[in-house]
Amino acid sequence: MINEEQCVVNCQYSMATFSVPDRRNKPRGDRRGNEFTRLLERAFESAILVKNYPRSQIDIFCEVLEADGGNLAACVNAASLALADAGIPMRGLVTAVECGSVTGEACADLSSREHSDIVSRLTVATVGGKDEICMLDLKNIIHKDHVPQLIKMAMDANAQIHSCLESAVLIHMKKCYALSKRC
Amino acid sequence: MSRNLVVTEFHMSVLFDPSILPGCSSDLEKSIIPGTRLYPISEGYRAGLGCYEIHGFVFSSLTGYTYVYDSNDADGNDIKVVEIRKKFNEKHRIVPVADAIVTARVEAIGPKSARCSIICVENNMLNHEFNSTLRREDIRPNERGVDLLKCVQPGDFILSRVLGHGDAQSGFLISIIEDELGVILAQSGDERLIPYTSELVRSPTSNYTEPRKVALVPNMNS
């Protein structure tokens, strides 16, 4: 699909067959995988400066090698680092975290053993570690009184993740790009 | 959710290399990640390549080092343009745009058009080539049915102007209609032929000539 005004962001979310304890038969194409694909596309479409690249396409392919909860959040973080390394202009690094609400108490970054049908899980992605949310995904039901605390927990966690990603990017940049003055 | 944000990005001409300017002052400064707030617009800073302006501030959109140089804006006021670079004298990515003069090499001749590879855009050599198409009607002014083989041949280097984007198969569309555009270096077998007149190219060693649509590059030295 050619868009004359901006670039198209095309994502793929795939889980390796060995990534989960019970071996998966299909790496991609299931409903949850397709849903994650669309969520990734929308998240990065708002963060990447798409007006710079009309009639073009940016492909972001994520492959989960070891799944232990928070798969979507991990893909978002990995894709942010890949885009920063590739030199794609973005409004900020997109960070994500999966938080759960257990009987009203908010918990950050659930593992897969902590997943259950009665615990509601919210994956929140923000841009630049600030208060701007670019993606929200809720699994299971949550009482509306528990939502503000859960979102606040997710924002705080995102700010910390953002500073981790920031220092990783800067260290990587200094290693890769020798700063040569006036050469 | 954040699609309503209005972002104005300052588009520098990609063909302009500011490091040759006398006003270029500072070295590369701090190392930054995308989304870092840099300088306020009110103090005369503007966004260059790798930055964008929002809420009265210049923000970065790439990873790299900040590089600030002096320039003048449209009204003649002094402004400081902020760019993000990875190296001091980094060549920015150049892409053929409409109306740019490009140097291309003819790869193959078809019945109605020639397939070419764009190798330079204005003064900049590209890291990789772009596919382009030179159609038969874009060779000579007012002549639609020219014999393609008498105007260009495979292996020739041509100076041409980009008309615009074609579709996925044809790449960019280029034209050599103007007098100053056309073949600048021709090839026949193993030999390179140089422009002789506006219609002929000639071998430098013998009197052998071939017909081409030759570029009449104005001679600046005489």
Side-chain angles (χ1 to χ4, degrees):
Chain A
M1 282 288 102
I2 294 187
N3 190 332
E4 296 282 340
E5 286 154 42
Q6 57 183 58
C7 85
V8 171
V9 177
N10 179 39
C11 295
Q12 185 193 80
Y13 172 85
S14 168
M15 296 185 70
T17 49
F18 48 82
S19 61
V20 283
D22 299 325
R23 189 182 176 85
R24 279 172 69 98
N25 284 331
K26 263 185 21 163
R28 63 192 85 97
D30 59 323
R31 276 166 66 128
R32 196 84 176 114
N34 285 341
E35 196 182 342
F36 283 176
T37 298
R38 299 289 157 249
L39 287 169
L40 284 171
E41 282 174 9
R42 299 288 167 268
F44 284 105
E45 228 170 274
S46 62
I48 297 175
L49 297 179
V50 286
K51 300 280 184 203
N52 288 7
Y53 301 109
R55 305 174 60 100
S56 312
Q57 177 171 299
I58 297 180
D59 286 339
I60 307 174
F61 288 5
C62 303
E63 181 88 23
V64 176
L65 299 178
E66 191 175 332
D68 189 22
N71 297 337
L72 180 58
C75 287
V76 169
N77 294 330
S80 281
L81 291 174
L83 291 169
D85 181 61
I88 309 274
M90 297 189 283
R91 290 192 297 112
L93 289 180
V94 186
T95 55
V97 72
E98 188 186 49
C99 294
S101 181
V102 185
T103 60
E105 181 131 358
C107 310
D109 196 20
L110 303 179
S111 65
S112 65
R113 287 178 59 104
E114 291 162 345
H115 286 183
S116 80
D117 289 337
I118 52 174
V119 169
S120 50
R121 306 196 289 281
L122 184 70
T123 306
V124 180
T126 60
V127 182
K130 307 223 170 55
D131 282 347
E132 188 194 324
I133 298 180
C134 65
M135 185 189 78
L136 270 179
D137 182 51
L138 176 70
K139 190 122 171 73
N140 300 329
I141 53 175
I142 183 173
H143 194 282
K144 66 178 166 62
D145 292 344
H146 300 154
V147 173
Q149 196 196 7
L150 189 58
I151 292 195
K152 179 162 188 322
M153 165 74 74
M155 303 292 230
D156 293 341
N158 265 321
Q160 293 180 35
I161 293 178
H162 182 264
S163 51
C164 284
L165 292 195
E166 178 176 356
S167 44
V169 166
L170 292 175
I171 290 172
H172 177 70
M173 185 173 72
K174 292 194 170 86
K175 267 199 280 191
C176 292
Y177 302 113
L179 177 58
S180 46
K181 302 208 179 232
R182 302 215 182 270
C183 80
Chain B
M1 259 188 229
S2 24
R3 246 131 348 115
N4 296 329
L5 242 45
V6 172
V7 174
T8 45
E9 167 122 1
F10 181 82
H11 279 288
M12 280 287 291
S13 162
V14 293
L15 309 165
F16 177 66
D17 181 20
S19 58
I20 58 171
L21 274 187
C24 146
S25 49
S26 53
D27 295 329
L28 299 185
E29 297 174 19
K30 18 187 201 172
S31 52
I32 43 176
I33 60 166
T36 315
R37 194 175 74 176
L38 296 174
Y39 302 105
I41 293 182
S42 51
E43 286 176 23
Y45 290 93
R46 296 284 181 271
L49 265 145
C51 296
Y52 63 96
E53 295 176 8
I54 195 168
H55 296 144
F57 280 90
V58 175
F59 286 78
S60 64
S61 62
L62 294 177
T63 49
Y65 300 93
T66 56
Y67 176 77
V68 185
Y69 61 90
D70 301 317
S71 172
N72 295 317
D73 69 359
D75 302 324
N77 306 323
D78 289 325
I79 54 169
K80 292 185 270 255
V81 183
V82 187
E83 249 179 38
I84 308 297
R85 290 188 173 190
K86 299 223 168 72
K87 288 203 280 272
F88 179 71
N89 58 347
E90 167 178 275
K91 222 185 339 179
H92 302 297
R93 281 175 246 127
I94 308 284
V95 175
V97 292
D99 283 342
I101 304 278
V102 296
T103 308
R105 187 180 55 234
V106 179
E107 304 287 354
I109 307 276
K112 294 220 177 84
S113 59
R115 198 163 33 94
C116 312
S117 301
I118 297 180
I119 52 177
C120 300
V121 175
E122 307 260 331
N123 296 332
N124 307 290
M125 273 219 70
L126 299 177
N127 286 333
H128 74 95
E129 301 169 357
F130 287 94
N131 290 336
S132 56
T133 300
L134 175 66
R135 295 178 304 177
R136 202 164 64 165
E137 50 264 25
D138 295 326
I139 295 188
R140 289 196 190 280
N142 306 324
E143 278 180 50
R144 295 184 67 94
V146 291
D147 187 0
L148 210 50
L149 290 164
K150 291 213 171 64
C151 301
V152 287
Q153 286 272 340
D156 291 355
F157 288 95
I158 55 174
L159 211 58
S160 56
R161 190 180 288 276
V162 177
L163 295 175
H165 289 279
D167 51 25
Q169 279 86 18
S170 55
F172 291 93
L173 289 174
I174 56 179
S175 116
I176 54 175
I177 278 189
E178 294 155 52
D179 293 335
E180 297 88 17
L181 303 175
V183 174
I184 46 178
L185 194 62
Q187 175 166 305
S188 167
D190 287 335
E191 219 184 354
R192 282 277 164 210
L193 309 176
I194 53 177
Y196 186 50
T197 66
S198 66
E199 295 300 322
L200 292 176
V201 288
R202 194 173 85 145
S203 153
T205 47
S206 66
N207 276 333
Y208 173 67
T209 59
E210 276 192 11
R212 294 281 196 280
K213 199 269 178 188
V214 176
L216 296 172
V217 179
N219 193 348
M220 311 288 233
N221 296 327
S222 61

